[in-house]
Amino acid sequence: AQKVTQAQTEISVVEKEDVTLDCVYETRDTTYYLFWYKQPPSGELVFLIRRNSFDEQNEISGRYSWNFQKSTSSFNFTITASQVVDSAVYFCALRRITGTASKLTFGTGTRLQVTL
Amino acid sequence: DTGVSQNPRHKITKRGQNVTFRCDPISEHNRLYWYRQTLGQGPEFLTYFQNEAQLEKSRLLSDRFSAERPKGSFSTLEIQRTEQGDSAMYLCASSGNKQGAVYEQYFGPGTRLTVT
């Protein structure tokens, strides 16, 4: 069975602060994909990043960075210099690589509130 | 390219009525997914199509739920004899063989169902 845990239900920060969203996952597979999605108040899930389990190199995209550590089964997401537009619910998700099971298993999400 | 579209965006129905939702995936995407999201939770997988074949169904998909994708393009999700517990956001996603989109699922805006 696969499971994704996002222990932080809600985080509030002031604009320009850095914030890290935690994601811990469980899987018996040795290879898998990890994802982060953003769900703004409008409701539509927006794809942010995909990471393969065999590639532990961290990734940076503008103000966003991701830290993948297979040894601790974590895939954390950091927003640097947060902005009000970053306010949303962020979901971490896991997907198998093998077989026909291509469904995403999501965590319960972390609501990020960025205020002025 | 247009994104994934879903109709209707909102549906209010009385308990016991049947409802049908439609999803139009990104053109040429051969994979289509249905998820359900309740308040404060992450999306939960319901079912998955590759072309017109329904390859996986969740145990969440009771016999009151049926999904089709008759020509491998749009898909419909029908709920018969709706119950108040069916109230949720129903999300559709697609992925496929377009460059850069093999593994990412792109989501539509969802259909919010309220059963009174």
Side-chain angles (χ1 to χ4, degrees):
Chain A
Q2 301 189 316
K3 185 178 178 182
V4 176
T5 301
Q6 295 180 255
Q8 304 153 307
T9 306
E10 191 161 345
I11 300 175
S12 293
V13 298
V14 176
E15 202 176 41
K16 297 191 176 65
E17 286 185 6
D18 299 347
V19 58
T20 296
L21 309 181
D22 298 334
C23 173
V24 174
Y25 61 92
E26 296 174 32
T27 180
R28 294 179 182 174
D29 294 343
T30 54
T31 56
Y32 44 87
Y33 293 118
L34 293 162
F35 301 80
W36 276 95
Y37 282 84
K38 174 182 180 179
Q39 189 172 40
S42 61
E44 189 163 338
L45 280 159
V46 177
F47 165 76
L48 295 178
I49 191 171
R50 167 177 58 89
R51 171 61 68 202
N52 303 332
S53 58
F54 44 85
D55 178 6
E56 290 196 62
Q57 193 169 14
N58 292 329
E59 184 157 340
I60 298 174
S61 175
R63 296 184 297 106
Y64 295 170
S65 62
W66 291 269
N67 180 269
F68 174 39
Q69 293 197 348
K70 203 169 182 179
S71 61
T72 57
S73 297
S74 65
F75 185 42
N76 297 337
F77 172 29
T78 296
I79 302 174
T80 303
S82 59
Q83 299 177 0
V84 172
V85 293
D86 295 327
S87 297
V89 181
Y90 291 85
F91 291 97
C92 181
L94 174 66
R95 208 209 91 174
R96 303 183 72 186
I97 290 181
T98 57
T100 59
S102 64
K103 66 180 180 182
L104 291 171
T105 299
F106 285 87
T108 52
T110 297
R111 180 177 300 277
L112 174 65
Q113 185 72 36
V114 182
T115 56
L116 293 171
Chain B
D1 266 342
T2 58
V4 177
S5 62
Q6 292 186 244
N7 288 289
R9 295 291 308 276
H10 302 273
K11 179 70 177 177
I12 300 174
T13 191
K14 292 186 177 180
R15 189 176 55 184
Q17 298 294 305
N18 298 345
V19 294
T20 300
F21 310 140
R22 176 177 169 130
C23 170
D24 288 88
I26 293 172
S27 59
E28 298 177 9
H29 273 190
N30 62 346
R31 300 180 180 188
L32 188 147
Y33 310 79
W34 286 99
Y35 292 82
R36 181 172 68 185
Q37 185 178 20
T38 53
L39 202 61
Q41 299 297 314
E44 294 176 293
F45 171 78
L46 292 178
T47 191
Y48 154 57
F49 290 86
Q50 182 162 309
N51 299 310
E52 64 274 8
Q54 189 174 18
L55 296 184
E56 189 173 358
K57 290 171 61 172
S58 163
R59 283 174 291 178
L60 291 174
L61 215 65
S62 76
D63 56 6
R64 295 185 299 105
F65 288 69
S66 63
E68 293 183 342
R69 195 182 183 199
K71 297 182 180 179
S73 56
F74 72 91
S75 174
T76 58
L77 177 68
E78 181 183 15
I79 308 174
Q80 297 182 326
R81 306 181 303 281
T82 52
E83 302 172 356
Q84 287 188 321
D86 297 331
S87 295
M89 176 77 86
Y90 290 84
L91 296 166
C92 177
S94 70
S95 71
N97 50 11
K98 294 188 72 174
Q99 186 176 7
V102 173
Y103 307 109
E104 286 76 62
Q105 294 180 23
Y106 294 91
F107 284 80
T111 295
R112 183 169 294 285
L113 173 66
T114 303
V115 181
T116 61

